[in-house]
Amino acid sequence: MDSVKFNVSVTKGLLEKTPANVLVINLFEGVKIPAGATGAIDIALDGLISKFVIGKEGFDGKFGSIYVLPTYGKIAAEKVLIVGLGKNKDFNLNRLREVSEKVIKKCMKMNNAKKVISVLHGAGIGGFDPEQAARMIAEGTLTGGYAFDKYKSEKKNTKVQDFVIVDMVEENCKKAKSGIKKGKLIADAVNFAKNLANEQPAYATPTKLAEIAQSFKDLEVKVYDKNEIEKMGMGAFLGVAKGSSEPPKFIHMKYKSPTKNPTRKIALIGKGICFDSGGLDIKPPSSMLNMKDDMSAAAAVLGIMSIIKELKPNCEVHGLIAACENMPGASAYKPGDILTAKNGVTIEVDNTDAEGRLTLADALCYACDLEVDEVIDIATLTGACMVALGTVASGIMGNHQTMIDKLIKCGAAGGEKIWQMPLFEEYKESLKSDIADTKNTGSRMGGAQIAGLFLQNFVKKVRWAHIDIAGTAFIEKKGATGAGVRTLINYLMS
Ligand code: BES
Ligand code: MN
Ligand code: ZN
């Protein structure tokens, strides 16, 4: 992956004897006399850490805080970077990932940090399994080291070339090696998703998404073109696609479990609106600005499918994307048009900017026709969800509480907050149309749920969950986050 320009590895050795530009060690909050690896370095530095950094400078190990000091040749590394792990009792694997992201970001800003070595945080006093710890360090380092600088003349990271975990115990190194492999895999999926969602819309077209899917040679991939989409009766999806000169693509990627008895069949649907102008109900400039991100969920599904052969979950997984643009071209669908979805449900277009649910409607029908056990759709679906939950948590709705609970748990384990929204039947009223089976929008109040209730019209006889990532997929100044990737990977592996 060229968006991360360094390697993460592990070697057996002594921290103080290993040459490096930067040595990363840690400090739990409130510790005055460090023990373990940090203690050893403190001694090697004649008590510089305990007496000066902690004693005089007041560095207190608060979560995510960083202190850098020179070593004046007392150890093999030129500088020591101490990262605060926060309170020992609050420390967990998510925090380790977060801290690792912060550390690498700091290193990337340093002038001389070609080679960074690090203690295996958490494996000592933290009490973590070395494999898990290494996995989180690798994952955080590789996602934190991500930079979308493809279009920058001056690249963001030219400094860090190597990140090496150093441990003197052979057994720890072995476990760390396998942990790094796992962490790298997850980071690859997350960074893959970020890359696609950060891309300019002129690049990440429906055709491009289809090409990417088709490049996954080890999966069964079928891409339906406009004629085939028409034949399948996906009138809702096609309605949205009409206003753009970019042809729509319906993408179906299939992964078969290597074991004889897969536990279940799952369909993952990612909203793939490659640009959302709003259509004829055009968005104002400030709302349209980041609408290249309206395919973030499709990018997440592609990211997952890009590593699924190596991930090897014991289930059958269908990745589905109805990819198109929502544009106000001369042949655009209009407010008042009536579209017929694949399952025959007729939809009066109330607002052309509620396009995601129309494309998802046909994708849901397609998924149900596959006779899978579970369908999870993920989408940058509603501004209302973003207003309700902000940029910290995604919303979830569905028809099966156990599945929802599990998804929320899998999110938490991956550091992704998901909050359940109800699907109150009362709100169905506002979706009623005088001339069709339903409208595509209802009242502005409860907008995230109304979208969920609309989607429910296209779900038949399967366990279904809908994750709204409108607030979490793309953050101002930070760009794409890869929202949903970790949650869904954990879910497939559970
Ligand atoms: N893609 C947007 C939702 C969105 C908004 C995503 C902000 C990310 C950030 C979606 O297609 C949309 O336009 N939704 C409308 C629906 C409305 C017309 C009922 C919205 O939320 O305003
Ligand atoms: Mn829209
Ligand atoms: Zn949209």
Side-chain angles (χ1 to χ4, degrees):
M1 179 122 351
D2 59 353
S3 52
V4 180
K5 295 174 185 72
F6 58 86
N7 220 351
V8 175
S9 59
V10 58
T11 60
K12 190 181 163 211
L14 271 177
L15 283 170
E16 52 267 48
K17 294 255 163 69
T18 310
N21 302 106
V22 184
L23 160 61
V24 181
I25 53 174
N26 61 56
L27 191 70
F28 278 110
E29 191 174 332
V31 171
K32 297 283 183 227
I33 312 281
T38 307
I41 300 298
D42 185 36
I43 291 166
L45 296 178
D46 300 331
L48 196 60
I49 296 173
S50 52
K51 287 186 205 132
F52 179 72
V53 178
I54 301 172
K56 282 260 188 328
E57 291 280 87
F59 183 71
D60 57 4
K62 276 230 166 60
F63 180 66
S65 59
I66 287 175
Y67 196 102
V68 181
L69 63 152
T71 63
Y72 301 113
K74 287 194 157 76
I75 60 172
E78 292 167 0
K79 277 169 287 197
V80 165
L81 183 156
I82 313 171
V83 63
L85 299 186
K87 294 204 174 78
N88 200 338
K89 69 168 172 55
D90 297 336
F91 196 56
N92 57 31
L93 289 170
N94 276 328
R95 283 201 138 186
L96 180 49
R97 187 201 302 106
E98 265 177 68
V99 154
S100 303
E101 288 202 356
K102 286 192 172 134
V103 167
I104 194 68
K105 283 191 162 42
K106 175 77 183 180
C107 291
M108 281 162 66
K109 285 195 194 121
M110 288 181 178
N111 278 328
N112 188 15
K114 251 191 197 166
K115 182 172 179 190
V116 181
I117 60 170
S118 173
V119 65
L120 186 53
H121 305 287
I125 305 167
F128 295 156
D129 168 46
E131 172 164 2
Q132 293 284 326
R135 179 191 146 184
M136 283 308 178
I137 294 171
E139 198 183 309
T141 303
L142 290 166
T143 54
Y146 171 90
F148 188 71
D149 54 10
K150 180 177 166 186
Y151 297 108
K152 284 263 190 205
S153 306
E154 204 172 301
K155 303 301 176 195
K156 282 188 181 149
N157 174 33
T158 50
K159 320 261 165 54
V160 181
Q161 290 177 1
D162 259 311
F163 186 99
V164 186
I165 297 172
V166 177
D167 198 286
M168 51 186 187
V169 183
E170 178 82 46
E171 186 62 19
N172 286 357
C173 291
K174 248 173 85 185
K175 287 186 178 160
K177 199 171 169 196
S178 115
I180 288 171
K181 213 174 149 196
K182 286 181 187 154
K184 192 174 174 309
L185 196 62
I186 310 297
D188 278 350
V190 171
N191 289 342
F192 189 106
K194 286 196 223 173
N195 264 344
L196 257 181
N198 277 327
E199 267 292 355
Q200 51 168 331
Y203 174 94
T205 59
T207 304
K208 189 76 197 176
L209 300 194
E211 279 170 20
I212 290 170
Q214 273 163 329
S215 76
F216 301 153
K217 284 282 174 265
D218 36 12
L219 302 179
E220 273 175 45
V221 180
K222 166 81 185 146
V223 173
Y224 299 86
D225 65 15
K226 187 165 170 266
N227 283 331
E228 293 168 300
I229 296 166
E230 237 163 53
K231 273 196 207 116
M232 288 194 288
M234 295 184 165
F237 174 31
L238 276 174
V240 176
K242 271 171 71 183
S244 172
S245 52
E246 288 291 339
K249 303 284 172 191
F250 188 90
I251 304 165
H252 179 179
M253 297 161 279
K254 178 174 175 186
Y255 159 83
K256 269 190 182 159
S257 163
T259 60
K260 282 233 172 68
N261 302 307
T263 51
R264 59 208 156 134
K265 295 183 184 180
I266 305 179
L268 299 180
I269 304 174
K271 172 173 171 181
I273 298 295
C274 293
F275 189 75
D276 183 9
S277 72
L280 286 171
D281 289 313
I282 199 159
K283 287 178 185 291
S286 61
S287 304
M288 203 191 296
L289 191 59
N290 286 328
M291 278 303 137
K292 67 173 187 181
D293 83 340
D294 220 14
M295 39 62 77
S296 299
V301 170
L302 284 167
I304 294 163
M305 297 313 277
S306 77
I307 61 145
I308 200 160
K309 260 278 154 94
E310 285 173 83
L311 198 65
K312 299 190 187 66
N314 186 20
C315 46
E316 188 173 298
V317 183
H318 298 264
L320 306 175
I321 300 165
C324 71
E325 290 184 335
N326 186 23
M327 297 291 281
S331 51
Y333 77 141
K334 307 168 191 74
D337 276 348
I338 294 172
L339 310 174
T340 306
K342 190 172 187 299
N343 66 348
V345 171
T346 57
I347 307 159
E348 183 185 4
V349 177
D350 192 51
N351 189 318
T352 62
D353 199 10
E355 83 297 339
R357 63 195 74 180
L358 293 170
T359 61
L360 291 174
D362 280 329
L364 283 166
C365 295
Y366 184 96
C368 292
D369 290 348
L370 293 173
E371 296 187 335
V372 290
D373 307 298
E374 297 182 347
V375 179
I376 303 169
D377 79 74
I378 171 166
T380 47
L381 203 61
T382 66
C385 190
M386 181 159 66
V387 170
L389 299 175
T391 58
V392 167
S394 306
I396 190 166
M397 290 146 257
N399 64 9
H400 196 269
Q401 195 56 42
T402 315
M403 186 179 168
I404 291 172
D405 290 340
K406 204 164 136 194
L407 277 161
I408 293 173
K409 253 199 184 152
C410 290
E416 299 193 308
K417 289 192 175 67
I418 307 178
W419 196 258
Q420 187 173 1
M421 308 268 236
L423 282 174
F424 290 135
E425 301 276 313
E426 286 90 330
Y427 298 125
K428 275 190 180 164
E429 191 59 35
S430 77
L431 279 168
K432 281 203 172 130
S433 161
D434 293 334
I435 56 171
D437 298 336
T438 180
K439 293 191 295 182
N440 72 331
T441 60
S443 89
R444 245 166 57 81
M445 307 290 166
Q449 282 181 69
I450 289 179
L453 287 165
F454 173 84
L455 293 179
Q456 213 165 21
N457 288 313
F458 308 93
V459 176
K460 284 275 128 52
K461 288 191 220 147
V462 287
R463 306 195 283 275
W464 162 69
H466 156 61
I467 304 177
D468 194 331
I469 57 167
T472 51
F474 199 91
I475 312 273
E476 211 67 53
K477 292 206 172 78
K478 241 177 86 179
T481 61
V485 173
R486 287 185 175 106
T487 302
L488 293 176
I489 286 177
N490 286 344
Y491 189 79
L492 296 180
M493 297 307 285
S494 67

